[in-house]
Amino acid sequence: MGLLEMEGLTKRFSGLTAVDDVDLTVERGETKAIIGPNGAGKSTTINLITGLLEPTAGHVYYDPPDEAAADIHELRTISDEERSADQQQRLDELRSEYSITGLEPHEVVQTGISKSFQTASIFPGMTARENVQMAALATEHGSFKLNFLRRQSSFDAVDEIATEMLEAVDLLRDAGEEAASLPYGDKRRLEIAIALASEPDLLFMDEPTAGMSPEETQATVDLVERLQQELGLTIVLVEHDMEIIFSIADSIAVLNRGAIIADGTPDEVEGDTDVQEAYLGGVEL
Amino acid sequence: MVLETAIEILLNGLQQGAIFALLGIGLSVILGTMDFLNLAHGALYLIGGYAGMYFIRETSLSAGYLNSIGVDAIGLGLGFAAAMILVPVFGFIVGLLMERYVAEPFYDRPETDQLLVTFGLALIVQEVIKGMLGGNTFQPTAPTTLFGINVGGPVMLPIIGNYPQWRLYLVGIALFVIGLTYLVIEKTDFGLVVQAGTHDSEMVRMLGIRINRSYSLVFAMGAALAAFAGLIGVSFQTVSPQIGTERALIPAFLVLVVGGAGSVIGAIFGGFVLGITVAGMTVLASQWAQIVLYAVAAGVLLFRPEGLFGSKGVVE
Amino acid sequence: MSDPETDGGTAVSEGPDPEPFGGQVGDLYRTVRDHELSVVVGSAVFLLFFPFLLVDGLEVVNGLLGDPGIGGYEGLASLVLIYGIIVVGYNLLLGYTGLLSFGHAAFFGTAAYVTGLVSSTTEISFLGLSATMPGITSPLAMILFGTLFATLLAWPIGFMSIRRSGVYFAVLTLTFGQMLYFFALGPGAGITNGDNGFSDLNVGELFGFINLDGLVPFVGKMEYVFIAVLFLLALTVANRIINSPYGLIFKALGENEQRVEFVGLNVFRYKLMAFVISGSFAGLGGSLFAIHEAFVHPSTALYWIQSGDFVIMTVLGGTGSLVGPVFGAFIFEYISNVISGTTLPVIGQVGSLWRLILGAVFVAIVWVFPRGVYGGLVDIKNFIAGQAVDALRSDESSPPAEPEQGGDD
């Protein structure tokens, strides 16, 4: 069953409907791509899930066990009016248990979802190691702790995670360098290391290869594939580069004007006429 | 009598509110258009006040550097009417200079730096004035005739009796200037650019409109308004180096908070709301006047951060 | 230099400094230097000599310059340390976390009043209720009450102010500070004695037998020693905090707030902690201030200018390090109390121009030299040391002999 389930996710900004009644499932262990023309609502959808924005309507469920997921599916198909009181109660219970809608971003991260940003969102004045330690801290001791008198040096577990992640993205030798001084490609990899140090089960990657040279792009793709295998991640990818998508994605969801117009395997999506129309010849598939 | 008090509060509130509104418009437009946080806005009010005194009459000095080198009195004695033109013009020029030499270098720097440098500038202006002219308080400089009309002395009003005539004219003049500003922003091309810039300066830049020139004009206009507010203030309130921060900057920011950044209507509304609040509290429970003022501002900022009319999401 | 284009937050241009030296010697030096004990001991030694340097040391310089009056005086040393405590804590909020508060006088002043009130036996009244003050004269207890009150006050004020960011945060802190100021001056005069100021402080003996007015040989008044010990404590605590996970998190908040949220940390709570901790430090300073001055007045304790002074001191010294702001406090207090009474060349009698001088220096630092005075001194030290190291290195190795490539001229 799906690791992440979106049900009727909607976001309206006074007059503009940016995300329109989106139902989407992300299966455990898969790499799912979300594509769509500019302004289709991809970033907004991700922001809704990660808690940066609050949805106008709809729910997001995370990691429900099979039985609960099945119940949710079933109860969802019955409209609000037709649902009996018991059914409504059951749905409410399930929602309070597994819904991550409306959580603060840091709470979302603590449940196991992480995000790597489109721009390298790092801490420029701190060393690479410190950058990753930040995320490792949160993984180690949760979203807040009153440990302001403890010496940093006694946090071995944090250091371990940091070292592991730096190694995973091949930045260990630069661990002591100031992040701002790293070349852009390294910054992007540091970005990924930070996202990984949260030890997520689900990783959102917002245009990870934007602005990269072909070599860097290939390196990033290799990295993503390797990480998925080594760490067993589920990855949701927002990308414009169709080659990448079709080479690594297990399934593709297509957004246009805030709504899902296609959702399936690469082959299915490739042949979909709605998709072709939405892109209107702008893309080589 | 309740009615008497109410009218008194209303009149005082209009005067105070007019000043607040003028200050708030300038600050709001500058923040809205250029995202620049100007803690020196009060200094412009201060400069306007002292410049007003200088243009209007001869003022005798008893302290400060000028006094120590033998200058007993300064001032051109040109009268209030002349000052009404000269002060905003002077403020405009100061605004241009300030934009070019202080604001512009800081547009791309972190917000905190903008706050710090303008705070320092405000301090410097205050101290220079104090140093040159002395730190003592000067009395208000109300005109007795203006354009031939007798504006001085008391006038008999229904219900409340004698009331200084000038203060009524003052409200009229201020409202006129506020209205003029509103028309400029709403109806002229320049105003459209300001409004567009308030909503999306990136877009305006891309459309090829020379945004930098507009920035200078916007800043200068805000400065002129602040200086004019200083002139008005000088005509019925005391003058001393501290008024820049106490009577201008802090209220201006409170107006900004209440009215919302980037909104001229908001600044006008906010100015009068705060003005009447202060006037009311001063009459009814003067000890609490200031406290209530600040509490209102804090309340608005906390519960309705975009202000009552705010347009941009400048707040989060 | 940190990149000003950060992803949210209100970072100042200069965050804490990265390390200048590499190599084994550098590491050893740093290990010793950073070891908490050596920091404490080193500072303690310096503090013992501080009053001497300030009074007698400067007296010598003063004499050499023809007696313009630049010598220090004993109370000055105490003042510097008091403000030093405040700004060290304040910098955790400004330099590290990147939050600019214009209202810290609220905590300073409240602590001062509480410290004074707790030690007096007057009857205070407000809104018809009245109470007699307990007359607790133990200095430690007085300070404890004062600091505690300030800390408790910082919670709600911080909670409300941090809901907004940037200038709105600053405005909120300012409004709360001003509300307290006007309260103390007006409606609260039944408690604070309003514009007359509060002077009913009774400072008893420390631990029951040490008289703060007593003299300690060479160093000075016992009160100074008391303040110096607390200063050392405050410095140690601040150092601990910086070396704890909090230090890392505060620094990160100042550089990229959104990212901190997205690694799973509760940004709001950490900002609140930074605010409250800095409020505590300001409270400690305020308590000591009350004891030292034996007088508390709203215009020095709670007025926004006091808050502004904290900002100036911190930035002046340099927001990039733990002790930088202490330098700023020193410079500020020295100029304010000593230079203001002197006659300098060109300017003439300084008098109240000192604020102008400070303002100008402040603007200069924000504009072009954000590392502040202390940062500048560190840079000079590093430069000189770097030159020395280079000189040493080039002495050891002989230049490789290179065969001259002859031309065919």
Side-chain angles (χ1 to χ4, degrees), chain A residues 126 130 133-134 137 147-153 155, chain C residues 15-17 19 33-34 36 39 87-97 233-252 274 277 281 318-326 374:
Chain A
M126 293 159 60
E130 285 172 333
Q133 276 175 335
M134 280 296 301
L137 261 176
N147 54 2
F148 53 86
L149 290 178
R150 278 192 71 180
R151 268 177 260 227
Q152 222 173 299
S153 45
F155 274 78
Chain C
D17 314 325
E19 292 298 330
R33 185 197 71 183
D34 290 341
E36 199 172 80
V39 170
V87 293
V88 163
Y90 185 77
N91 195 35
L92 288 174
L93 188 64
L94 178 61
Y96 284 79
T97 318
L233 183 69
L235 213 61
T236 311
V237 169
N239 191 42
R240 255 314 174 87
I241 292 175
I242 289 174
N243 285 315
S244 79
Y246 271 60
L248 203 62
I249 295 173
F250 287 164
K251 201 156 58 158
I277 291 174
F281 276 73
T319 52
S321 63
L322 173 65
V323 294
V326 182
Y374 179 72

Side-chain angles (χ1 to χ4, degrees), chain C residues 179-264:
Chain C
M179 277 196 262
L180 279 168
Y181 166 74
F182 283 108
F183 179 77
L185 204 57
I191 303 174
T192 63
N193 206 23
D195 202 11
N196 298 317
F198 185 87
S199 53
D200 197 13
L201 282 116
N202 304 304
V203 184
E205 283 160 351
L206 184 58
F207 300 130
F209 66 93
I210 304 177
N211 188 343
L212 288 182
D213 284 327
L215 288 175
V216 174
F218 178 70
V219 181
K221 266 178 82 170
M222 194 62 209
E223 185 195 87
Y224 170 78
V225 175
F226 179 56
I227 294 175
V229 168
L230 286 170
F231 174 78
L232 213 53
L233 183 69
L235 213 61
T236 311
V237 169
N239 191 42
R240 255 314 174 87
I241 292 175
I242 289 174
N243 285 315
S244 79
Y246 271 60
L248 203 62
I249 295 173
F250 287 164
K251 201 156 58 158
L253 281 172
E255 297 198 0
N256 190 344
E257 195 180 298
Q258 192 182 59
R259 202 41 166 125
V260 177
E261 178 77 20
F262 272 90
V263 301

